[in-house]
Amino acid sequence: MNLVEKDLKYIWHPCSQMKDYEELAPIVIDHAKGVMLYDENGKDYIDVVSSWWCNLLGHCNPKINAEIKDQLDKLEHVIFANLTHEPAIRLCEELSKVLPAGLEKFNFSDNGSAAVECALKMAFQYQYQTGHQEKKRFMCLSEGYHGETIGALSVGSMDLYAKIYKPMLMDVLHVEAPDCYRCPYGKCRDNCDAECFEHAEKMFEQHAHETCGIIIEPLLQGSAGMRIYPPVYLKKLRALCDSYHVLLIADEIATGFGRTGKMFACDHAGISPDIICISKGLTGGYMPMAITVTTNEVYNAFYADYNEGKAFMHSHTYSGNPLGCRAALAVQKILREEQILEKAAVQAEYLHEQLCNALLDHPNVGEIRHIGLINAIELVSDKKTKTEFDSSLRMGYQIYKKALANGLILRPLGNVLYFNPPLVISKEEIDEAVRRCVASINEVL
């Protein structure tokens, strides 16, 4: 029995209909370097999705490798309640220099969904302990996605992930999100004043009195198809939250650490949330780690004698894992010393230009939107009417299969193909990735 046969015998892959694997068997990856993956037969694949958006500085980065190896011989893990260690302390110190202003208290967990659960519980308990017991509900944006646990699914709006579980979910208020490609106001994201924000204003007028927090993906709704909206929306939302005493929770799990061209998406709007969730690029995609960071104001609502019952009784076994902290410290050092964001900005313009030159005139490419190195190619059946392909055609999936054959990891979001490569991708790698992408699209459409 070979490795593929053993995989199919034992493994239930995430976010997959396993019956599809009868047609498209799993690919056994043997090793990786930079933006390239290599299977057991030596075939190369360009990883333009950063292995689910987490690989920030390339696979097997020697500097991150060295930090983890060094830590491995010192301390691999220790309970993080009443014990601590230098890598976690140093990491918080480094992150406090780059996070939006006012975010100073760090609560560690081990994945993005867990960071969101932490933020929701933190917001709820904060309101309760500051005399606002009536604030028990949450708001979120339609088409939002914040993870797979029950609380995280509750504050998402994508039926693909949540529909079957609705009887288990919290009763959450859903605000109609910006849709800049199909803007009902006839505007575009580059020149609007976020007229669509009226939906949030109406929701706050009706329900802010019972709302403890609103959670958003700032500027980029990833799983919705890399939907990008303007910074002015965030500015307005920050002011609205302040007016109604509603906590603003920014889910920067996918957008943090340079993905949008700035260290955090909130930086584009010059605003600070009350709580921020970070993960994915935090460790460069090496180790499972997430952090929920909040303000001293929120933290102080939990600070009391133990018998007052105000402690935040929330924990994860692998909170503050030393190996993850060392990987994250290495990421921060590389970003700073090698001026990665500045270099990535040059590549971002080049990638968008190459994709537009190659595909924008294609009759089935409706829009190529981008922020930072992230580019989303929206496929449509009719360019003039912006009509989507019928979902039963699985057009994105058909192109994905061709792309794999052509050596490109181009995992679709419905009818949206996207590039979200490591920040260190070169122009030569961009050229080859675009060539493989265009070939794959042309083989299907």
Side-chain angles (χ1 to χ4, degrees):
M1 188 180 292
N2 61 31
L3 286 175
V4 170
E5 291 169 334
K6 289 181 178 179
D7 174 284
L8 293 174
K9 179 180 179 180
Y10 295 112
I11 297 178
W12 190 347
H13 286 268
C15 204
S16 299
Q17 172 48 261
M18 292 302 297
K19 187 172 177 58
D20 283 348
Y21 285 44
E22 294 175 8
E23 174 192 353
L24 185 63
I27 298 167
V28 179
I29 298 301
D30 179 75
H31 62 284
K33 185 66 177 177
V35 302
M36 305 301 296
L37 304 174
Y38 300 88
D39 70 18
E40 59 181 346
N41 299 312
K43 180 177 178 178
D44 66 68
Y45 303 81
I46 306 176
D47 185 7
V48 294
V49 300
S50 295
S51 291
W52 253 337
W53 318 351
C54 67
N55 189 280
L56 196 69
L57 301 172
H59 294 276
C60 294
N61 185 294
K63 293 182 179 179
I64 303 176
N65 289 359
E67 291 293 322
I68 294 173
K69 290 174 182 176
D70 179 69
Q71 183 62 43
L72 192 59
D73 288 327
K74 294 180 179 178
L75 177 67
E76 85 299 344
H77 184 62
V78 66
I79 183 175
F80 208 50
N82 208 199
L83 300 177
T84 191
H85 51 82
E86 183 181 356
I89 297 167
R90 287 176 50 214
L91 177 59
C92 294
E93 184 178 32
E94 290 300 314
L95 290 175
S96 67
K97 298 173 184 177
V98 298
L99 281 162
L103 296 168
E104 300 178 4
K105 295 297 182 181
F106 297 74
N107 192 292
F108 286 80
S109 50
D110 54 10
N111 67 80
S113 297
V116 168
E117 294 283 339
C118 176
L120 299 178
K121 292 171 67 177
M122 195 179 282
F124 179 91
Q125 191 171 342
Y126 163 80
Q127 295 284 14
Y128 185 90
Q129 291 176 182
T130 55
H132 298 282
Q133 288 88 348
E134 74 282 2
K135 289 180 172 286
K136 299 177 180 179
R137 301 181 73 183
F138 287 93
M139 291 185 193
C140 67
L141 295 184
S142 63
E143 304 305 313
Y145 174 84
H146 300 285
E148 299 289 352
T149 49
I150 295 301
L153 278 177
S154 296
V155 293
S157 288
M158 299 193 68
D159 280 350
L160 174 65
Y161 306 103
K163 185 176 181 180
I164 188 66
Y165 306 111
K166 282 188 176 179
M168 302 170 63
L169 304 183
M170 297 186 295
D171 181 20
V172 170
L173 300 158
H174 298 257
V175 177
E176 186 174 335
D179 185 358
C180 296
Y181 178 48
R182 297 179 176 86
C183 178
Y185 302 86
K187 303 284 186 176
C188 70
R189 66 177 66 85
D190 296 326
N191 65 12
C192 76
D193 192 40
E195 284 78 4
C196 57
F197 192 72
E198 65 176 354
H199 299 296
E201 292 173 329
K202 291 176 182 177
M203 188 68 79
F204 270 69
E205 287 174 8
Q206 296 172 18
H207 297 286
H209 67 281
E210 58 177 330
T211 301
C212 58
I214 180 170
I215 184 167
I216 59 160
E217 299 162 273
L219 300 193
L220 178 75
Q221 291 190 292
S223 291
M226 299 295 180
R227 284 170 43 162
I228 300 166
Y229 59 93
V232 64
Y233 191 98
L234 283 186
K235 288 178 178 288
K236 290 185 173 184
L237 185 59
R238 175 68 277 178
L240 195 64
C241 287
D242 289 339
S243 297
Y244 285 96
H245 193 66
V246 171
L247 294 185
L248 176 58
I249 304 169
D251 176 354
E252 292 247 20
I253 291 160
T255 55
F257 304 105
R259 287 296 188 190
T260 66
K262 292 186 180 290
M263 186 63 77
F264 295 97
C266 286
D267 295 337
H268 288 274
I271 64 106
S272 292
D274 300 293
I275 302 173
I276 193 169
C277 302
I278 54 177
S279 188
K280 288 191 183 290
L282 172 64
T283 67
Y286 268 70
M287 306 290 291
M289 176 171 280
I291 311 178
T292 305
V293 195
T294 191
T295 63
N296 277 311
E297 179 183 347
V298 172
Y299 172 81
N300 287 336
F302 296 79
Y303 200 82
D305 289 337
Y306 189 82
N307 58 12
E308 292 184 43
K310 290 188 175 183
F312 190 46
M313 300 303 292
H314 179 93
S315 65
H316 289 271
T317 301
Y318 290 98
S319 295
N321 176 261
L323 297 172
C325 289
R326 282 295 292 273
L329 279 166
V331 167
Q332 287 304 303
K333 185 177 181 182
I334 293 167
L335 289 174
R336 180 178 63 253
E337 294 184 355
E338 299 184 19
Q339 297 181 309
I340 296 296
L341 267 62
E342 292 81 357
K343 294 176 182 176
V346 176
Q347 306 299 63
E349 291 303 315
Y350 183 76
L351 171 57
H352 186 63
E353 181 181 277
Q354 296 306 104
L355 283 171
C356 288
N357 289 341
L359 288 170
L360 203 53
D361 291 333
H362 192 288
N364 297 117
V365 173
E367 180 185 47
I368 304 176
R369 50 187 173 267
H370 78 118
I371 184 168
L373 272 164
I374 298 171
N375 280 258
I377 305 161
E378 179 137 354
L379 304 174
V380 293
S381 62
D382 188 304
K383 198 162 186 169
K384 290 183 179 179
T385 62
K386 302 180 181 179
T387 303
E388 298 180 73
F389 278 106
D390 189 298
S391 60
S392 66
L393 297 175
R394 302 187 72 188
M395 201 59 68
Y397 178 69
Q398 298 305 321
I399 295 171
Y400 165 67
K401 290 192 295 182
K402 292 293 184 183
L404 283 178
N406 292 328
L408 184 68
I409 310 294
L410 198 64
R411 189 173 176 88
L413 295 162
N415 288 319
V416 176
L417 308 172
Y418 68 91
F419 279 55
N420 190 3
L423 301 186
V424 294
I425 192 170
S426 68
K427 286 186 177 180
E428 293 74 21
E429 290 163 338
I430 287 173
D431 289 341
E432 182 59 20
V434 171
R435 186 193 70 77
R436 296 183 188 187
C437 175
V438 172
S440 305
I441 291 173
N442 287 339
E443 288 177 42
V444 176
L445 296 171

